[in-house]
Amino acid sequence: MNKPIGLLDSGVGGLTVLKAVIDCLPNESIVYIGDTKRCPYGNRSKEEIIEYTLELVQFLMDQHVKMIVIACNTATAHTLEIVKNKVDIPVIGVIEPGSEAAVRLTKSKKVGVLATVSTVDSGFYEKSILGKDESIHVKSLACPEFVEIVEKNLYETVEAKKIVEKRLESFKTGNMDTVILGCTHFPLLTPFIQERLGIEVTLIDSGALTSYEVEKVLKEFKLDAKAPVTRTIDIYTTGPEKPFRTIAQNWLQTSELNVRAISLERLKLTHD
Ligand code: I24
Ligand code: DGL
């Protein structure tokens, strides 16, 4: 089926997930919406996150997507079940694939999770991991400054290294051998996080794992695009389009992108 896959995120961070989906599924068209105007979601209340995410979901439904990927950990934590109940197409989040990989990979049965405040508070990672193996010990840590330092484009600087070292100072205890990067932005800090935690720790980047899950679900529901096709990649942002285009082109390194702004007013109109 040649309808697009829909991805939603609080802003640009979900582009880490989009990149994996683009690379993994070369025939699939994609519509991505990033709520840059109201980003970050990571410090917001559950109620706000639900309200905003449902608006993004409605927008994607109006684009006739065949499946929805909640490409934001914070939105997944608070809305996955709600969205699943709301629409009649497959919906996946970014938490399940990473949790599943962690459960599979950990030998010591001690798993760490790094995420936003709101994701950690939701307890959704624990729930997801313990639901697969209740003998696993999960330790979660909110790292609010990590999103900030990446968004300031300082993620390769000494300042970022210091922030990572400080936040993770007393995080790794015992024989924790697997740590989930439970936020879209954290893969950009991988070198510093890996250095701090040690090379014996496996870091899990949800983006790639989520793209395999997308592939699996499309096959299962016989929704995969039939080649040969010329796919389209349409990106919408609730904020200004220029900086978003620059970041998207730089990160995705492809000329296939159409980037457009959609105002919150118009986004809300599609609700009626
Ligand atoms: N990375 C992120 N957010 C930004 C940024 C960045 N500016 C530079 N880089 N700004 O997130 C956030 C606010 N903007 C967003 C666009 O609309 C206006 C407001 C991480 C993105 C991860 C894919 C650094 C940077 C870049 C290109 C690629 C990757 C990257 F410029 F981290
Ligand atoms: N996309 C968010 C996440 O993965 C991080 C940015 C935000 O706080 O909105 O949790």
Side-chain angles (χ1 to χ4, degrees), residues 27 66 89 95 103 119 151 181 185-186 190 214 248:
N27 292 319
K66 61 184 173 187
I89 54 173
I95 291 185
V103 169
T119 298
E151 296 219 338
L181 303 176
H185 290 54
F186 296 0
T190 293
V214 174

Side-chain angles (χ1 to χ4, degrees), residues 64-80:
H64 307 290
V65 297
K66 61 184 173 187
M67 98 172 262
I68 289 179
V69 182
I70 305 179
C72 170
N73 290 265
T74 307
T76 299
H78 292 291
T79 74
L80 180 62

Side-chain angles (χ1 to χ4, degrees), residues 11-193:
V12 282
L15 295 176
T16 56
V17 181
L18 178 60
K19 189 184 177 75
V21 174
I22 286 177
D23 292 347
C24 180
L25 301 162
N27 292 319
E28 296 294 342
S29 291
I30 300 163
V31 178
Y32 175 104
I33 181 155
D35 194 4
T36 329
K37 182 97 188 233
R38 296 181 292 197
C39 191
Y41 284 9
N43 306 314
R44 290 188 182 275
S45 70
K46 181 182 172 77
E47 290 70 28
E48 281 174 314
I49 294 163
I50 294 172
E51 182 189 333
Y52 299 171
T53 304
L54 287 179
E55 288 172 5
L56 304 179
V57 165
Q58 188 56 50
F59 173 79
L60 291 176
M61 292 305 287
D62 292 344
Q63 308 298 308
H64 307 290
V65 297
K66 61 184 173 187
M67 98 172 262
I68 289 179
V69 182
I70 305 179
C72 170
N73 290 265
T74 307
T76 299
H78 292 291
T79 74
L80 180 62
E81 295 311 316
I82 298 171
V83 178
K84 273 186 177 170
N85 286 326
K86 195 113 191 161
V87 301
D88 54 4
I89 54 173
V91 179
I92 68 166
V94 279
I95 291 185
E96 202 75 12
S99 303
E100 196 190 290
V103 169
R104 204 165 3 96
L105 290 171
T106 182
K107 293 199 173 72
S108 62
K109 295 200 178 272
K110 275 210 165 77
V111 172
V113 178
L114 306 177
T116 63
V117 172
S118 190
T119 298
V120 170
D121 285 353
S122 77
F124 198 74
Y125 264 105
E126 280 87 347
K127 201 175 140 196
S128 166
I129 293 167
L130 296 177
K132 297 173 200 307
D133 182 345
E134 58 178 12
S135 70
I136 291 179
H137 185 262
V138 184
K139 186 170 172 186
S140 300
L141 181 73
C143 308
E145 334 78 320
F146 289 13
V147 169
E148 223 178 287
I149 197 85
V150 171
E151 296 219 338
K152 282 191 193 149
N153 203 10
L154 297 175
Y155 59 96
E156 288 174 315
T157 64
V158 176
E159 196 186 337
K161 182 178 158 81
K162 283 187 185 147
I163 285 174
V164 169
E165 280 173 359
K166 180 122 193 57
R167 178 55 65 184
L168 300 183
E169 210 161 56
S170 53
F171 174 63
K172 191 188 158 202
T173 46
N175 49 355
M176 180 189 289
D177 64 357
T178 309
V179 171
I180 301 175
L181 303 176
C183 173
T184 50
H185 290 54
F186 296 0
L188 285 109
L189 293 167
T190 293
F192 295 142
I193 297 172

